[in-house]
Amino acid sequence: MSLHFEFTAAKAATPTLADGSASPGTPRSGKIVHGPSTVSLQTPNFLKYTRHGLQPHLVREVAAELESMPKATRIQLEDFLASDIPDYSKVGERGMHGFVALDRSEMLVLDTLDPTMVSRSAKSSNSFMGIDSEGGTRRLTAEAFARLTDQLKPDIVVPLADYVEEPLPSLTQGKRISKSISRSAKWLEEYLHKRQRKPAVFAPVMGSHSLELREISAKKIEALDGISGYAFNDTSLALPFEHKLQLVQHSLSQLSASRPRYMAGASAPDNAVRAILAGIDLVDSSYPYAVTEQGFASTYDFSACGSGDSSATHLDLWQESMFNDFRPLVAGCECFTCRTHTRSYIHHLLMTKEMLSTVLLQVHNMHCYQRFFDA
């Protein structure tokens, strides 16, 4: 199925190219249109983060109450690898949409790895990608990946790639990075050749911390037919975020500006802003989940969520002071949690280890995240 990016405008009078699109590394807005249907996504935006096909702590009925959420969900294949070569041929014509009870109007992006897991032990070879799954280490080949995507029928696919684990970039030599580029390019070509269905492909851009090798990766990608967008999954690269963005921007200068760009690991609001200013179109929404898991409520205010102190980013509901605090999480917030519950009650739920605590926090945190992108 075809996917194209309709460029709307460069932000804040930033430079544009002759075709009217934004220059590489500058903020822009647009719309991703998928197939002949009405499935589309305004950008910049976020992909809803999931665990095992569900938004964390939110069953479908609760998630449906969150208004104005983008109709785009990100699912990682590692959550569904019960074996090296799982068989999903019986999931039916609706594929992954039907398997996880996702409405067909939702744009489904199938990636391989969870962006919140930055430390991994599985090793890859020239013939397979090693993946840490809950069932143990899995070895996934490009051929098996093509078969799985044919069965699961996602709208957008991020193919296999040999991501480099880098606790210290200075210790990673160019030979290892070159090998990761060669493997990733080989797997990408094999996937494009072996697949039967043709979802949109967001090619993983490789090269780690080497500018020269990032250029080589970009050239290999640009030489291929069938690429619809680009994916930057440098989550295991142990560098300050600003340095990561400089590397991404260098890659963007070598890639077509007419295709959408997705960056994993840029979901925190400040990082999302930086990424968008650097020319990224899509990030994931794992940040609200991380905040919820700590028992925190988002309080950042960009004239969109509440009317509190914009210098504060979260409220710790574990604090003893919450016991007798009968205010909403954020004054003026219109989410279900703030309309109906108090800080005191959610503190009580946390202290008694009730599951409802994370449900209510996730509702609020996702609401704030959406309003942040609306702002």
Side-chain angles (χ1 to χ4, degrees), residues 11 52 57 72 150 166 174 178 226 246 255 269 279 283 305 344 359 361 375:
K11 296 286 190 178
H52 301 281
H57 306 302
D150 286 343
E166 294 189 289
S178 295
Q246 291 172 9
L255 298 166
V283 300
C305 179
S344 176
V359 173
L361 285 174

Side-chain angles (χ1 to χ4, degrees), residues 300-308 330-335 367-375:
Y300 51 86
D301 182 6
F302 294 88
S303 302
C305 179
S307 56
V330 176
C333 178
E334 298 180 353
C335 77
H367 173 85
C368 281
Y369 201 68
Q370 171 60 38
R371 294 298 179 264
F372 162 71
F373 270 84
D374 285 345

